[in-house]
Amino acid sequence: MGVGGCAAGGDEAGDPITLGAANDINPQPRETIRDGGNLRLATTGFPSNWNTLSNDGNNLEIARIVWAMMPRSFTIDAAGRTEVDKNYFTDIQLTGTDPQQVTYTINPEAVWSDGSPITWADIASQAHALSGVDKRYLIGTTVGFDRVEKVERGVDDRQAVITFKQHYAEWRGQFAGNAMLYPKSVTGDPETFNHGLADHITLTAGPFLVRSTDRTQGRIVLGRNPKWWGDTPKLDTITISVLDQNAWPQALQNKELDAAQLFSLSDVATVRGTSGLAVRRAPGPLWRHLTFNGAPGSILADPKLRVAISKAIDRQAIANAVLNGLEADPKPLNNHVFVRGQDGYRDNAPPFDPDAAARELDALGWKLNGDIREKDGRRLEIRDVMYNNETWVKVAQLIQQNLARVGVKLIIDARPGQNIFSEVFIPGDFDLAQFQWQGDAFPLSGLPQIYALNPDNKQGNFGRIGSPELNALIDRTLSELDPGKTLELANEADRMIFDEGFSLPLTQDPGNWGVRPDLANFGAAGLASYDYTKIGFTK
C-alpha cells in the first residue's frame, strides 16, 4: 500500500483517492536514481524560529525544511503504519503498562552534526521542556510529555526509559510525525529554546544540514551532512526559496522549482498544461479551517455568538468553490480531530441554518440596524485574517456573503505570509483566522495542543477558547489505551468543540503537487514520511 499510488499522477484530478490507500511520490529504488543534483523547493517565508517545538516555530513550512535534518523515532507509510527508524533507534518498545513505560535504544552510530553522540540526556531534556512544568518554555505542543513522570538512563547513555504518571495513548508520536528530537543544548534552557534558533539552526542530525542561508535573497541551501552515518543521500543539495504562494505554479513553468504544492484548480491546470511537469496527488491530513477569537474582551467572546455565526456559514458552498474539479464529490470536513479516511472520522458538524443563526443573534441582543446588527452601540463587524492567496480570499468572500445575509459585516484582511503566525495568529490579532492545520498519523496529539485551554501555555489555541470540562474530556481521551474507546471519546470531544464555537473545519486538502516527472520518492506523500536519502532524479 505504501508504494501503490504512483499511477495517480496520470489520473484526472477529480478521481477519488482515499487517505491511507496510497501516496503518489514516484517510488523508485536507490539504484535507479542518479547521484547528485539539486532539488528546488519553495516556502512562503523565512523561518521565524527553526525550533519547531516552540510556539513561534510550530509551523508546517518550517517543519518541511527541518525534516531532512532532525531525528524522528518512527517512519510512517502511506497507511499510517509505523516502523522504528533504524537510523536513529535500534529498538523502541512499550515495556510496561502499569505504570506505562517506553524504552528507547539509540543507534550507537547516531551523532549530532558536531560529532557528539545522541544520548538519553537529549530525550530527557526535551521531555522536561515540553512537560509544561516550567512556564518559561514557550512550547508549541506537549506531545504527551505533560504525562511523563520521569526519564531515566537505561543500560547506558544510548538508552532512555520514559515512565508515565498517566497513560498516553499516542506514545509512538512523541518523536515522530510532526515532532522531532532536538539536542539538549536547545531544549535545556528556556531562553535558548524560545529564541536561540530564531536566526539559524544549530546542531542537527539528519542526512542534510544547512549549508547557507540568505535572508536578503530569501534562500536556504541544505547540503549533505558529512557526519551522516546512514545511506548517502542521492541529492547533493536542497534549495528552498522564499516565494509568494501564488507564484509557485509559474515558477514550476519557468523551471525555477522542481516541486511545489498546488492549492487551486488553476494551479493544477497550469501544471497539467505545461510540458515537462506532472501532477501527483494523494490526500493527506492537511485541512483548512476558520478559527474564532474568543479571548476576553473580543467581539466573539460569547460562545453562543460564535455558534450562531457558525450556522450562517455555508461550508458546502465553500467546499464546492475550493474543491470543484479537484475532487469528484466535494464535501466539507466535519470533524476537528480526524480527517476523512482516518479511523474515527465521524460527521459531528451542525447543519448550515442561516434562519436559526438570525433567530439566535436576535435572542442574544444583536439587532439589525439597517444592514448590520448592533448591540449596546457596537456594530457586529468582524475581521477575517488570512494569508494573501487567491483561494483563501475566495473563501473569505463566500463567508462575507453568507454573513451579510444575517446582518454580520465581515472585513477581509489578507496579509503577507512572512511571520503571519508569530506576528498575527499567535498574538491573537484577528476575529476570524483562516489557515491550515497539518495532522499526521497521530491525530489525538492535536487535542491538547489546539483545543485545551491553559492560560499559562496557549500552544496552538490562538483563539483562547476552552473550558475545564473540555480539558477533562481531552485528558480522559489521551489516558484511554483501548483504541475503540479512544475513538469514541475523541468524537465526544469533537462535539464539545463544535458546541463551544471553537472553530469551523472547512475542507481537507486533496493533496496535489506539481513536480518534474523524473523526481523520485517525493511529492504527494499522504500520511507517509519522506526518506530524504532516496529523494532524487531518475537516471
Side-chain angles (χ1 to χ4, degrees):
M1 289 169 68
V3 297
C6 57
D11 293 346
E12 288 304 310
D15 291 347
I17 302 175
T18 302
L19 178 79
N23 59 9
D24 192 3
I25 61 171
N26 185 22
Q28 299 291 335
R30 288 178 59 85
E31 58 268 22
T32 66
I33 301 167
R34 62 183 172 89
D35 292 321
N38 174 40
L39 173 62
R40 298 166 300 171
L41 306 174
T43 189
T44 59
F46 211 87
S48 54
N49 192 328
W50 293 78
N51 180 7
T52 61
L53 306 174
S54 73
N55 212 21
D56 284 347
N58 185 30
N59 177 295
L60 173 61
E61 288 198 303
I62 299 172
R64 282 176 169 168
I65 299 170
V66 177
W67 281 341
M69 300 188 286
M70 301 302 282
R72 287 187 282 181
S73 51
F74 291 93
T75 59
I76 303 169
D77 69 10
R81 295 172 301 207
T82 59
E83 185 175 331
V84 174
D85 189 335
K86 294 300 180 70
N87 286 312
Y88 299 107
F89 298 95
T90 57
D91 191 43
I92 301 172
Q93 290 288 340
L94 180 66
T95 48
T97 56
D98 192 19
Q100 184 178 357
Q101 194 172 73
V102 180
T103 300
Y104 289 81
T105 303
I106 301 165
N107 184 333
E109 296 182 23
V111 295
W112 298 108
S113 49
D114 65 352
S116 61
I118 299 174
T119 73
W120 77 278
D122 296 302
I123 292 175
S125 179
Q126 184 155 315
H128 172 72
L130 299 186
S131 68
V133 171
D134 189 337
K135 304 303 182 187
R136 295 175 297 169
Y137 285 93
L138 303 178
I139 61 177
T141 178
T142 59
V143 206
F145 287 112
D146 54 334
R147 295 166 169 263
V148 168
E149 176 68 32
K150 58 185 176 179
V151 180
E152 299 174 291
R153 181 179 184 269
V155 296
D156 56 26
D157 283 349
R158 296 286 193 160
Q159 189 175 77
V161 181
I162 298 179
T163 302
F164 291 80
K165 57 188 175 185
Q166 290 176 275
H167 283 162
Y168 183 54
E170 284 194 335
W171 59 269
R172 289 180 180 83
Q174 290 193 297
F175 299 103
N178 292 323
M180 289 168 268
L181 176 63
Y182 277 73
K184 62 181 183 294
S185 58
V186 171
T187 57
D189 169 71
E191 179 64 24
T192 304
F193 181 94
N194 297 337
H195 306 297
L197 304 190
D199 295 319
H200 64 284
I201 197 165
T202 52
L203 295 184
T204 56
F208 290 88
L209 45 66
V210 173
R211 176 178 291 182
S212 65
T213 61
D214 188 330
R215 281 186 177 271
T216 303
Q217 295 292 323
R219 188 166 292 121
I220 299 162
V221 179
L222 310 183
R224 291 177 180 175
N225 176 6
K227 296 190 182 299
W228 174 247
W229 57 95
D231 290 338
T232 301
K234 286 294 183 176
L235 292 169
D236 287 322
T237 53
I238 301 172
T239 300
I240 303 106
S241 299
V242 175
L243 191 63
D244 187 280
Q245 202 174 84
N246 295 316
W248 291 4
Q250 187 68 41
L252 284 166
Q253 274 191 319
N254 295 339
K255 300 183 179 180
E256 297 165 0
L257 297 177
D258 297 306
Q261 192 165 6
L262 308 176
F263 294 97
S264 70
L265 183 59
S266 63
D267 290 350
V268 173
T270 296
V271 171
R272 285 196 179 278
T274 302
S275 175
L277 293 177
V279 174
R280 295 182 184 160
R281 181 170 61 95
L286 181 66
W287 49 283
R288 297 177 182 272
H289 76 285
L290 192 66
T291 277
F292 292 84
N293 189 342
S298 67
I299 194 168
L300 298 178
D302 183 351
K304 292 181 180 178
L305 176 59
R306 299 193 299 268
V307 170
I309 288 175
S310 297
K311 292 178 181 178
I313 297 174
D314 188 348
R315 296 181 310 113
Q316 181 61 57
I318 292 172
N320 292 341
V322 172
L323 300 176
N324 189 34
L326 299 177
E327 288 187 2
D329 184 19
K331 294 183 184 300
L333 185 68
N334 295 317
N335 199 293
H336 291 88
V337 186
F338 306 100
V339 293
R340 283 193 305 276
Q342 284 184 316
D343 287 342
Y345 180 80
R346 309 282 186 274
D347 180 349
N348 295 320
F352 168 56
D353 193 344
D355 292 336
R359 290 193 300 269
E360 291 171 22
L361 290 170
D362 282 335
L364 291 169
W366 289 97
K367 303 295 186 180
L368 276 173
N369 183 358
D371 293 330
I372 301 174
R373 294 178 182 270
E374 291 185 356
K375 181 180 179 180
D376 300 329
R378 188 178 193 182
R379 286 158 61 91
L380 191 46
E381 297 180 344
I382 55 179
R383 203 163 40 88
D384 183 5
V385 183
M386 75 223 69
Y387 172 62
N388 188 13
N389 168 273
E390 64 170 320
T391 302
W392 284 119
V393 172
K394 179 190 295 184
V395 170
Q397 289 168 341
L398 290 170
I399 296 171
Q400 187 179 55
Q401 294 165 16
N402 292 160
L403 296 185
R405 295 190 184 104
V406 296
V408 181
K409 181 177 180 179
L410 185 78
I411 299 166
I412 298 174
D413 187 356
R415 304 285 188 94
Q418 183 69 46
N419 300 330
I420 194 169
F421 278 87
S422 59
E423 296 180 2
V424 180
F425 296 146
I426 293 173
D429 181 16
F430 61 88
D431 297 316
L432 303 177
Q434 291 187 50
F435 57 95
Q436 292 177 298
W437 284 118
Q438 168 73 18
D440 55 27
F442 309 100
L444 300 184
S445 62
L447 280 168
Q449 176 191 5
I450 303 170
Y451 305 110
L453 181 62
N454 299 297
D456 296 329
N457 180 14
K458 57 181 175 287
Q459 298 186 58
N461 189 339
F462 305 146
R464 281 70 163 173
I465 296 171
S467 66
E469 293 78 14
L470 179 56
N471 284 5
L473 181 53
I474 290 171
D475 188 69
R476 284 175 55 207
T477 303
L478 293 172
S479 298
E480 178 56 65
L481 296 184
D482 181 289
K485 292 179 181 177
T486 298
L487 298 185
E488 291 309 312
L489 286 169
N491 276 285
E492 187 179 337
D494 180 49
R495 290 187 287 272
M496 188 178 291
I497 292 165
F498 274 113
D499 289 344
E500 67 181 15
F502 185 100
S503 62
L504 269 183
L506 298 176
T507 57
Q508 182 176 346
D509 189 85
N512 289 293
W513 281 73
V515 298
R516 305 277 158 217
D518 61 343
L519 178 60
N521 301 314
F522 192 84
L527 284 173
S529 53
Y530 291 123
D531 182 345
Y532 283 87
T533 68
K534 292 177 65 176
I535 297 170
F537 298 92
T538 52
K539 294 177 180 177

